[in-house]
Amino acid sequence: MILDSAHRRAPEFRRGASDMLGVAPGIAAWGLMTGVAMVKSGMSTIEALFMAAIVFAGSAQLASIPLILSGAPIWVVLATAMCVNLRFVVFSVHMRPYVMHLTLRERLLAGYMTGDLTYVLFVNRYPQPAADDAGRIGQMAYLMGNGGVNWFAWTSCSLLGVVLANAIPTQWGLGFAGILALLGMMCSLTSTRLRWVSAIVAGSAAVAAYALPLKLNILTAIAASVLVCLLLEKIVSTQTPPVGEVH
């Protein structure tokens, strides 16, 4: 889809790219330090370059590298990467109504291009799926512009980190810039009380479940936040009087 001229000509393509440019430096710094970490942990330059080129999942990379180097069974490596990325199952369920008009190949590409910040910016821009063809083209153009910048910032800097691994000390802590980008985005989106509750519950659950193996605390945080917010929404809806009802 990113090669589709109809998407690239759409104003929403440029809007998506522009929105991502604001947080791209943090993503780039995170990618740079992930590339450095791969080499510093003992992977060969060829292995690190190969992983940086084909894997678009920073958290899964950082969780898998120590297991690969320790000679862990492949099923353990895959299970760990899958558990770390289980949050994308939640994202994909939400994104399904937006992409079901696409072909299977296009849906796979959309899924590949959708990172954490891409998803957040997309659903913030489009709370509801478009109802007509022009709207759908605009939404997919935004997703491709947004995801394209995200992918390029991450992948190019991850490859650069591999090449410059011996020249960049890990003590610089540039990887924390990616976390700061996520925190900044989260704070900008917590515009309602329910969103604040969601953030607090997710953060508390993640810390409380930190000792779980395979990074399952991430999944625990998502599940706890979703359940609490669904429960609160149900309570609020039952307490809200119907429109026109006089008390």
Side-chain angles (χ1 to χ4, degrees), residues 70-99:
S70 66
I74 187 64
W75 71 266
V76 173
V77 177
L78 294 176
T80 301
M82 184 185 72
C83 288
V84 169
N85 281 340
L86 276 175
R87 66 192 185 279
F88 286 100
V89 176
V90 179
F91 297 168
S92 65
V93 170
H94 188 193
M95 290 285 290
R96 188 176 186 274
Y98 293 89
V99 301

Side-chain angles (χ1 to χ4, degrees), residues 155-179:
T155 304
S156 61
C157 288
S158 185
L159 291 169
L160 186 63
V162 173
V163 174
L164 300 178
N166 294 323
I168 301 176
T170 54
Q171 289 82 356
W172 284 8
L174 291 177
F176 192 63
I179 298 173

Side-chain angles (χ1 to χ4, degrees), residues 45-62:
T45 301
I46 298 300
E47 290 170 338
L49 286 172
F50 183 69
M51 178 177 253
I54 67 170
V55 179
F56 183 39
S59 301
Q61 284 176 254
L62 293 174

Side-chain angles (χ1 to χ4, degrees), residues 41-227:
S41 63
M43 296 181 74
S44 70
T45 301
I46 298 300
E47 290 170 338
L49 286 172
F50 183 69
M51 178 177 253
I54 67 170
V55 179
F56 183 39
S59 301
Q61 284 176 254
L62 293 174
S64 301
I65 290 169
L67 298 175
I68 293 172
L69 296 176
S70 66
I74 187 64
W75 71 266
V76 173
V77 177
L78 294 176
T80 301
M82 184 185 72
C83 288
V84 169
N85 281 340
L86 276 175
R87 66 192 185 279
F88 286 100
V89 176
V90 179
F91 297 168
S92 65
V93 170
H94 188 193
M95 290 285 290
R96 188 176 186 274
Y98 293 89
V99 301
M100 283 309 296
H101 65 284
L102 302 175
T103 65
L104 175 60
R105 184 178 65 175
E106 290 173 333
R107 293 199 302 272
L108 291 173
L109 176 60
Y112 174 75
M113 296 292 287
T114 303
D116 294 278
L117 293 179
T118 302
Y119 167 78
V120 170
L121 290 170
F122 180 83
V123 298
N124 189 52
R125 174 72 172 165
Y126 303 106
Q128 299 296 330
D132 55 32
D133 290 340
R136 294 187 188 102
I137 289 176
Q139 288 183 348
M140 291 304 101
Y142 183 93
L143 183 65
M144 290 300 102
N146 190 317
V149 171
N150 186 35
W151 178 88
F152 181 79
W154 172 267
T155 304
S156 61
C157 288
S158 185
L159 291 169
L160 186 63
V162 173
V163 174
L164 300 178
N166 294 323
I168 301 176
T170 54
Q171 289 82 356
W172 284 8
L174 291 177
F176 192 63
I179 298 173
L180 292 178
L182 290 171
L183 286 174
M185 181 66 64
M186 183 196 74
C187 292
S188 69
L189 292 173
T190 49
S191 55
T192 66
R193 285 181 293 179
L194 190 59
R195 289 181 178 182
W196 273 108
V197 171
S198 174
I200 292 170
V201 170
S204 301
V207 173
Y210 184 76
L212 290 176
L214 303 178
K215 303 291 183 180
L216 284 173
N217 63 313
I218 297 174
L219 182 61
T220 302
I222 294 173
S225 178
V226 170
L227 288 174

